[in-house]
Amino acid sequence: MILRVTVVAIAVAVAAALALLPDPAKAAGNPIVIKMYDKAPFYAPVRVSIKAGESVQWVNDGETVHSVSTAASNAQNPRDAAMPKGAVSFDSGFIPPGGDYSYTFTVPGTYRYFCLPHEKAGMVGVIIVKK
């Protein structure tokens, strides 16, 4: 009987200790949210600074499709797409109204991205990723 009570007491103590540890999902933090609109400012905020390992979530608050792309091959103006050396380009595809897209940045540097259907209208944003 004493052994059973001891085992239960240890299990409760371990469970309590584990409950005090940070939740890995919360430890990573909430993503930075960038809203997408049909009129300027198209991306709000247009420019953000984050730390490497943090995520950005783009949310389409407009009434038409939008996108997020760093793929220079898709850009009408090559200056609208840029990434630091060692980074891999990303492309959200078309995001419907109310939809979202998230990306985690691991390589420090400056990223310029654009909305494929609205790049000519000036829908371009910048993310600066710090170490």
Side-chain angles (χ1 to χ4, degrees):
M1 182 69 163
I2 293 176
L3 180 59
R4 179 181 281 169
V5 170
T6 303
V7 169
V8 170
I10 291 172
V12 169
V14 168
L18 288 174
L20 295 175
L21 291 175
D23 179 355
K26 290 180 182 175
N30 294 327
I32 303 297
V33 175
I34 297 175
K35 301 275 183 140
M36 296 182 283
Y37 299 106
D38 297 337
K39 297 179 183 176
F42 295 108
Y43 291 119
V46 170
R47 181 185 204 92
V48 297
S49 292
I50 62 172
K51 292 181 182 176
E54 290 186 320
S55 297
V56 173
Q57 178 185 30
W58 288 267
V59 177
N60 185 349
D61 273 4
E63 295 179 10
T64 185
V65 297
H66 291 293
S67 71
V68 179
S69 181
T70 59
S73 60
N74 292 337
Q76 295 173 28
N77 180 347
R79 291 182 182 174
D80 292 341
M83 296 177 303
K85 187 175 181 176
V88 177
S89 68
F90 59 87
D91 188 292
S92 65
F94 294 126
I95 304 167
D100 66 85
Y101 172 76
S102 295
Y103 185 82
T104 301
F105 292 83
T106 57
V107 178
T110 300
Y111 295 75
R112 289 185 57 82
Y113 62 93
F114 60 94
C115 174
L116 188 60
H118 304 108
E119 177 187 4
K120 271 195 169 180
M123 194 165 183
V124 178
V126 176
I127 296 182
I128 299 166
V129 180
K130 300 177 181 181
K131 291 182 182 183

